[in-house]
Amino acid sequence: MESILKEIGRFRCNDWVIQETRVFDAPRDLVFDAWTKEEHLSKWWGPRGFTTTFQEFDMKPGGTWQFIMHGPDGVDYPNTNVFVEVVKPERIVIKHAVFPHFLATAIFEDLDGKTKLTYSTVFEEDAAVFDKVKTYAVPGAEQTMDRLEEHLASMSSF
């Protein structure tokens, strides 16, 4: 699969996969906490200008994460996810249960006090739908990771 992936900034894409790898200047436990604690995740999840309202957050295999992303244009985007796997502090696997359907995997690797995060989404939709989705999913994910980086800086200042 590696040979058919296209580079788009820090992202690699093929017909149904978007993957970003980023190194954060924060320890792995802190980055994992930012992903697994509602009080942190709600502050950075989503592209710039979006806010997120959590309706349910049960982080365990089989648990549901239901939320609404509120766009800067006033449009609400309801989301429902099911946690497939949670392995502290190494990995989170999430099934996005509404359109567009995908399986997302976040892998957290320790790099001498920093954290390498690899975030992959494997879409279940056909290529035509994926071509449309990636036009907003790639920049949206990039902005979301930027917001995570900013939030980590505020977390580590405490």
Side-chain angles (χ1 to χ4, degrees):
M1 180 186 319
E2 199 70 28
S3 63
I4 62 172
L5 291 169
K6 267 192 207 173
E7 296 286 335
I8 303 176
R10 288 184 260 201
F11 284 86
R12 296 181 306 170
C13 294
N14 74 8
D15 288 343
W16 291 277
V17 178
I18 299 173
Q19 182 179 74
E20 179 180 12
T21 301
R22 194 178 288 202
V23 175
F24 295 100
D25 190 12
R28 180 166 71 164
D29 285 338
L30 188 71
V31 178
F32 196 83
D33 281 351
W35 275 75
T36 57
K37 294 187 177 173
E38 184 176 348
E39 66 268 22
H40 294 297
L41 188 57
S42 64
K43 291 183 177 138
W44 63 266
W45 189 261
R48 291 214 182 276
F50 281 72
T51 59
T52 305
T53 302
F54 283 37
Q55 298 166 310
E56 184 176 350
F57 188 71
D58 186 17
M59 175 154 286
K60 66 181 181 190
T64 300
W65 174 24
Q66 194 167 14
F67 61 95
I68 298 172
M69 291 174 50
H70 309 284
D73 57 359
V75 176
D76 287 341
Y77 302 90
N79 285 264
T80 301
N81 295 310
V82 176
F83 292 103
V84 175
E85 186 177 21
V86 180
V87 180
K88 182 178 180 158
E90 300 170 7
R91 180 176 52 256
I92 301 168
V93 181
I94 302 166
K95 170 80 174 140
H96 193 255
V98 296
F99 183 85
H101 300 92
F102 59 83
L103 189 69
T105 303
I107 298 172
F108 306 82
E109 297 176 64
D110 178 48
L111 294 178
D112 295 323
K114 295 182 179 187
T115 304
K116 178 181 175 183
L117 171 66
T118 303
Y119 183 68
S120 303
T121 50
V122 179
F123 287 81
E124 298 173 12
E125 313 304 339
D126 63 31
V129 171
F130 179 69
D131 283 343
K132 182 176 180 182
V133 168
K134 73 182 177 186
T135 64
Y136 61 83
V138 170
E142 180 83 10
Q143 292 171 29
T144 299
M145 293 300 113
D146 290 345
R147 291 182 67 196
L148 170 58
E149 191 163 34
E150 293 159 9
H151 185 71
L152 288 168
S154 74
M155 288 173 70
S156 57
S157 65
F158 288 107

